[in-house]
Amino acid sequence: MFRDLARTLLHESTILARLDEIAARITDDYRGKDLTVIAVLNGSFMFMGDLLRRIPLPLRVDCVSVASYHGGTESSGRVTFDQISLPDVAGRHALILDDILDSGLTLEAVAAKLGGLGALSVKTCVLLRKRKERTVAIDADYVGFDIGDEFVVGYGLDFQEKYRNLPCIAVLHPDVIRAGLDAPAGASPEEVPSPS
Ligand code: 5GP
Ligand code: MG
């Protein structure tokens, strides 16, 4: 898995040190308030686990499952909700957690859904924010790191469902991406040749 990486952008220790800071801010901002954290799966599962264990508040946790990439390295522009039952945020403050702010379509779609469910407030927190123009005018309230406009994997983020378990954030070898995109639809990751 590690030999597929061209470069590590953020080491685990760097990520965790930054989560200490964000968690402290969130703890201050939501003390005494009824908070529900809504994690956008699958990409934010590791971020959620590491961030939330640093927030000593009696919060609730819920998840929504959405997809916008559909196997490629560019947002398809379509945000699909995979979950039938939506979180109960009526009368509570909602904080959406996502792995990365890219086009902005995902955060906007989730924020709009929760706003329509009677949340007292809706804020957003992302681990990564890409420096680029967004498709929709949305920014995150809490941001871990600003990164360049390139496709990254690890720490929850995938390429064709692989690399989510990497402890760091990294850029894949272009050959690995090319091989993955060229592989016939439905091929398992093991069938995708790695660069030598
Ligand atoms: P947006 O809707 O803002 O375009 O994209 C948000 C979603 O697209 C993220 O939650 C993430 O799942 C996916 N995404 C955006 N950029 C990247 C990236 O560089 N790498 C990976 N693996 N996923 C990304
Ligand atoms: Mg995502």
Side-chain angles (χ1 to χ4, degrees):
M1 183 167 68
F2 285 94
R3 68 181 179 165
D4 291 355
L5 309 182
R7 164 164 71 83
T8 299
L9 274 190
L10 298 164
H11 290 281
E12 186 178 16
S13 56
T14 311
I15 296 171
L16 295 180
R18 181 71 181 132
L19 295 195
D20 284 341
E21 297 173 357
I22 299 176
R25 275 186 53 208
I26 293 173
T27 304
D28 281 349
D29 292 351
Y30 287 95
R31 194 170 281 116
K33 295 182 178 167
D34 292 324
L35 172 63
T36 299
V37 172
I38 293 105
V40 182
L41 294 180
N42 293 326
S44 64
F45 78 94
M46 216 176 267
F47 178 38
M48 167 175 77
D50 283 338
L51 181 72
L52 295 190
R53 78 180 83 188
R54 290 170 162 74
I55 302 178
L57 296 177
L59 51 80
R60 292 187 193 166
V61 184
D62 220 320
C63 297
V64 289
S65 201
V66 305
S68 66
Y69 265 44
H70 309 288
T73 60
E74 296 285 342
S75 173
S76 67
R78 262 182 311 121
V79 178
T80 334
F81 282 79
D82 298 339
Q83 196 171 275
I84 298 164
S85 70
L86 289 164
D88 179 11
V89 290
R92 301 180 60 81
H93 296 274
L95 177 63
I96 303 167
L97 293 192
D98 204 359
D99 47 10
I100 188 163
L101 176 58
D102 184 22
S103 71
L105 289 165
T106 304
L107 268 195
E108 190 194 52
V110 176
K113 268 253 184 273
L114 297 181
L117 295 173
L120 292 178
S121 69
V122 180
K123 285 195 174 185
T124 54
C125 173
V126 293
L127 177 67
L128 306 171
R129 177 171 64 185
K130 282 192 188 170
R131 278 186 222 103
K132 66 186 280 189
E133 205 174 308
R134 316 236 174 272
T135 309
V136 289
I138 188 164
D139 200 5
D141 297 286
Y142 306 92
V143 178
F145 302 92
D146 281 301
I147 61 166
D149 185 12
E150 58 187 341
F151 187 78
V152 295
V153 296
Y155 199 71
L157 290 140
D158 73 308
F159 175 55
Q160 299 183 332
E161 295 306 325
K162 273 172 80 183
Y163 310 105
R164 290 193 194 277
N165 56 321
L166 278 175
C168 58
I169 304 275
V171 177
L172 282 176
H173 231 280
D175 296 352
V176 173
I177 295 186
R178 220 170 296 124
L181 295 178
D182 288 348
S188 75
E190 289 68 34
E191 292 168 87
V192 177
S194 281
S196 47

